[in-house]
Amino acid sequence: MKTYLAFLKGINVGGHHKILMKDLRDLLNSLGFKDVKTYIQSGNVIFKTEIKDKTVVEKQITTAIKNKYNYNIQVIVKQPKDVQAILDNSPFIQEKTQDSYFFILKNSPSGKSIDQIQSISYPNEEFFVTSKVVYLYCNAGYGRAKCNNTFFEKS
């Protein structure tokens, strides 16, 4: 049985696409996933399944949410080793990692988009964009960050 982490983009943010975590756990359990656990109201889920292909798992979750809630949301599924690699490849020095975040991208941005984004600068914030991850350091706290998840998704 494989362990996966699912990151559901855009649920429970600003009151949009609301899904209670208990309901999300129940939905994933109904798909046959085991040991389903959610993290706060974030839409981040960890679970186990016999399915070997992450893409199949993503499609199952996306379809189940569409069918039950009529929400078109992005679902990104990773294995723990994938998330560990993201953490290990952080461009920030150790002292900054406590105040840093990462955003997993569903699609790779174009080189032009990366260049445009990296020309933007805000005080107390640093970010680094790769083909699949955005790393963000903000020493004033994420709640005050101008370069948040919404900023990167729009850019």
Side-chain angles (χ1 to χ4, degrees), residues 5-62:
L5 296 101
F7 301 92
L8 282 62
K9 301 278 198 159
I11 68 162
N12 298 342
V13 178
H16 300 293
H17 299 122
K18 186 160 178 67
I19 301 176
L20 297 174
M21 293 300 99
K22 180 193 178 313
D23 295 342
L24 181 59
R25 287 190 301 272
D26 290 346
L27 182 63
L28 270 59
N29 279 317
S30 77
L31 296 174
F33 300 152
K34 305 293 182 205
D35 300 325
V36 179
K37 296 178 182 83
T38 53
Y39 178 71
I40 56 174
Q41 285 295 111
S42 66
N44 296 337
V45 187
I46 187 168
F47 57 92
K48 294 180 181 176
T49 180
E50 295 290 339
I51 301 169
K52 306 278 188 239
D53 186 342
K54 292 186 289 192
T55 307
V56 171
V57 175
E58 284 178 357
K59 286 180 183 174
Q60 281 190 341
I61 296 170
T62 302

Side-chain angles (χ1 to χ4, degrees), residues 32-121:
F33 300 152
K34 305 293 182 205
D35 300 325
V36 179
K37 296 178 182 83
T38 53
Y39 178 71
I40 56 174
Q41 285 295 111
S42 66
N44 296 337
V45 187
I46 187 168
F47 57 92
K48 294 180 181 176
T49 180
E50 295 290 339
I51 301 169
K52 306 278 188 239
D53 186 342
K54 292 186 289 192
T55 307
V56 171
V57 175
E58 284 178 357
K59 286 180 183 174
Q60 281 190 341
I61 296 170
T62 302
T63 301
I65 290 171
K66 174 69 175 162
N67 290 343
K68 182 164 183 163
Y69 298 98
N70 200 31
Y71 297 160
N72 290 312
I73 62 164
Q74 286 187 350
V75 176
I76 298 173
V77 173
K78 299 287 184 189
Q79 289 185 268
K81 67 180 181 177
D82 302 326
V83 175
Q84 187 62 55
I86 290 169
L87 297 171
D88 291 345
N89 291 315
S90 173
F92 302 120
I93 61 172
Q94 186 65 34
E95 291 76 30
K96 291 184 178 181
T97 57
Q98 274 190 313
D99 297 313
S100 66
Y101 303 84
F102 66 86
F103 312 110
I104 301 171
L105 303 173
K106 182 80 171 174
N107 301 308
S108 299
S110 69
K112 183 179 179 182
S113 294
I114 293 173
D115 291 343
Q116 287 174 338
I117 292 169
Q118 289 185 330
S119 68
I120 298 169
S121 174

